[in-house]
Amino acid sequence: MIALLIRDLRLAVRAGGGFGLGLSFFLIVVVLVPFGVGPESGLLSTIAPGILWLGALLACLLSLDRILALDWEDGSLDLLATAPLPMEAIVSIKSLAHWITTGLPLVLAAPVLGLLLNLPDAGYGPLVLSLLIGTPALSVIGTFGAALTVGLKRGGLLLSLLVLPLYVPTLIFGAEMARRSIEGMDATPPLLMLAGITCGTIALLPFASAAVLRVNLR
Amino acid sequence: MELNVSDLSVSRGGIAVLEGLSFSILEGEALVLRGPNGSGKTTLLRTIAGLQPPLRGTIGLEREAMAYAGHSDGIKSVLTVRENLQFWADVFETGAIDPALQAFDLSALENRPAGGLSAGQKRRLGLARMVVSGRPVWVLDEPTVSLDLASVAMFAEAVRAHLAAGGLALLATHIDLGLSEARMLDVTPFKAIPPEIDDFDGDFL
């Protein structure tokens, strides 16, 4: 399992691996929003948590079809399925690798980009915390979507349509948590909901992903 | 160790392609499957390798005994030859890869990115994976595609070494591998007869 994780991380950082793809998309979205909205700093602070969460979500979505499609194309997925690893472990490791290469950089970049959106001081900690808790759910749900569409050529559109509705709760509670802390309200309820979604998806979705992958490999 | 397949029916896309197939392979034996394109050799091999369930019948061994090599080699072009093979050795927990590299004459290429290899060299790397898998039954689908004559001989040698070590091999191929001791099995007679479509509605009359 460690070998698979190391291989996936290595593939991601080498040429054409798409390591910087999500991060640079996030950067572009967040840098462009102030130009579109205008320089009114009050307005920017109001929308900052939402924009940062939305940017992170879309950046994550952008890299989903790489999770399994590349391994499907070159036949590694067939070979992995016949290897001694259980399919559930394979999809969990793939989600983890996706989170490390996409989710984690977004979490680390968010405070820097928050500066560009005039994020109020009280918002930095909760925003980073909410992204840290929420992005693993995005990777796990995304792996499920990728498993559903793995045999399809150019399945990117279908993948986005399938996954976006499943991302909505994470987005709502994640952005809500940052917004509430900025306004001085109690942020515990959205935090707990967000953590619950993440734990639930990590516990259950790998089984679903493995099941659909087995069917897709037939 | 012995692979017994009895009364096996396999399907592709829900439609039976081969029916009533029975054979057994003993320790140290190789069985070569023959048959025209589309006769179901690949489907049969994928079923035996455990990638899809059989329609009917039994396969005597667990899927954990099989090492499967399909049409694509599963090679990552940005990793080097050594990294590619080491990954599979780690997954199968077998350790050393140097004997496999030597068996397929890849030692000189081990630090090259696999993307720079020729088609035949890639194929050799794909077959070297069978050696590092350390599994007793090799299930090979058209293993000699894009191999030159010398490489085919190299491959036959590797299969022989595997058989001599008590392994089994099941191959689908069209060319002569020089494995004179291997038995042949033509799958054509086992072709499934498509059920006659009976959508005539008697109540209509």
Side-chain angles (χ1 to χ4, degrees):
Chain A
M1 280 166 77
I2 302 295
L4 182 60
L5 180 65
I6 291 171
R7 183 193 76 146
D8 273 12
L9 296 180
R10 205 180 254 163
L11 285 173
V13 294
R14 296 231 174 136
F19 173 65
L21 187 70
L23 192 59
S24 47
F25 181 81
F26 189 41
L27 182 78
I28 290 167
V29 168
V30 175
V31 168
L32 288 184
V33 163
F35 290 119
V37 172
E40 200 186 318
S41 55
L43 181 62
L44 278 176
S45 330
T46 318
I47 61 170
I51 294 293
L52 285 166
W53 251 97
L54 195 61
L57 187 143
L58 292 175
C60 200
L61 194 65
L62 197 63
S63 53
L64 286 184
D65 64 338
R66 308 183 68 93
I67 300 179
L68 294 167
L70 296 179
D71 276 346
W72 162 267
E73 276 164 22
D74 64 16
S76 327
L77 209 53
D78 276 351
L79 305 180
L80 279 173
T82 57
L85 296 173
M87 194 65 97
E88 288 79 7
I90 295 172
V91 290
S92 305
I93 291 290
K94 292 253 161 210
S95 311
L96 179 62
H98 178 260
W99 182 72
I100 293 175
T101 53
T102 311
L104 196 57
L106 297 181
V107 176
L108 298 176
V112 182
L113 295 176
L115 211 59
L116 292 174
L117 290 174
N118 197 25
L119 186 70
D121 290 344
Y124 284 93
L127 180 80
V128 172
L129 185 63
S130 69
L131 281 171
L132 194 62
I133 296 174
T135 44
L138 301 183
S139 290
V140 176
I141 296 171
T143 308
F144 175 60
L148 275 173
T149 54
V150 76
L152 305 172
K153 290 256 182 281
R154 310 277 171 269
L157 173 66
L158 189 58
L159 174 60
S160 313
L161 288 176
L162 283 171
V163 161
L164 268 181
L166 301 175
Y167 274 2
V168 169
T170 311
L171 173 67
I172 290 175
F173 291 116
E176 179 72 0
M177 187 189 147
R179 193 185 61 79
R180 275 176 169 245
S181 333
I182 291 168
E183 292 176 2
M185 288 192 279
D186 179 18
T188 320
L191 170 69
L192 292 179
M193 288 300 285
L194 190 63
I197 291 168
T198 301
C199 293
T201 50
I202 291 175
L204 297 174
L205 272 183
F207 294 100
S209 311
V212 290
L213 206 51
R214 281 198 196 97
V215 172
N216 268 339
L217 283 179
R218 275 180 198 170
Chain B
M1 180 148 294
E2 186 180 338
L3 174 63
N4 284 309
V5 168
S6 61
D7 192 29
L8 187 70
S9 297
V10 298
S11 64
R12 185 176 164 79
I15 297 163
V17 286
L18 290 172
E19 272 178 347
L21 206 71
S22 298
F23 58 82
S24 63
I25 312 175
L26 302 173
E27 205 167 290
E29 253 190 343
L31 181 68
V32 175
L33 297 176
R34 297 266 164 148
N37 292 143
S39 58
K41 298 186 296 296
T42 297
T43 311
L44 174 62
L45 292 178
R46 286 179 69 90
T47 308
I48 288 177
L51 283 168
Q52 60 183 70
L55 209 56
R56 209 176 51 242
T58 51
I59 299 159
L61 289 174
E62 294 289 303
R63 46 177 291 189
E64 277 72 29
M66 321 280 182
Y68 170 75
H71 291 266
S72 18
D73 296 313
I75 290 170
K76 293 292 173 190
S77 52
V78 292
L79 300 182
T80 65
V81 170
R82 173 168 279 277
E83 284 168 340
N84 266 297
L85 205 54
Q86 190 66 54
F87 165 66
W88 291 111
D90 292 343
V91 165
F92 285 98
E93 292 169 359
T94 49
I97 61 163
D98 292 296
L101 284 174
Q102 272 154 24
F104 285 94
D105 195 18
L106 291 163
S107 301
L109 302 167
E110 62 172 317
N111 292 321
R112 283 239 211 125
L117 299 182
S118 76
Q121 287 167 335
K122 276 185 186 155
R123 193 74 223 188
R124 264 151 55 195
L125 177 54
L127 293 170
R129 190 178 57 81
M130 305 303 280
V131 179
V132 301
S133 77
R135 289 192 162 176
V137 184
W138 285 8
V139 180
L140 299 155
D141 195 2
E142 303 278 0
T144 52
V145 169
S146 64
L147 290 184
D148 61 13
L149 279 176
S151 305
V152 170
M154 211 183 285
F155 166 68
E157 205 50 53
V159 173
R160 254 191 218 111
H162 174 65
L163 298 180
L168 287 69
L170 179 62
L171 307 89
T173 180
H174 292 288
I175 67 155
D176 184 25
L177 291 172
L179 280 168
S180 46
E181 67 274 27
R183 281 187 297 137
M184 301 280 172
L185 176 69
D186 193 340
V187 297
T188 323
F190 300 100
K191 196 163 180 54
I193 302 142
E196 215 151 298
I197 298 165
D198 181 21
D199 58 356
F200 182 72
D201 189 356
D203 293 340
F204 178 69
L205 293 176

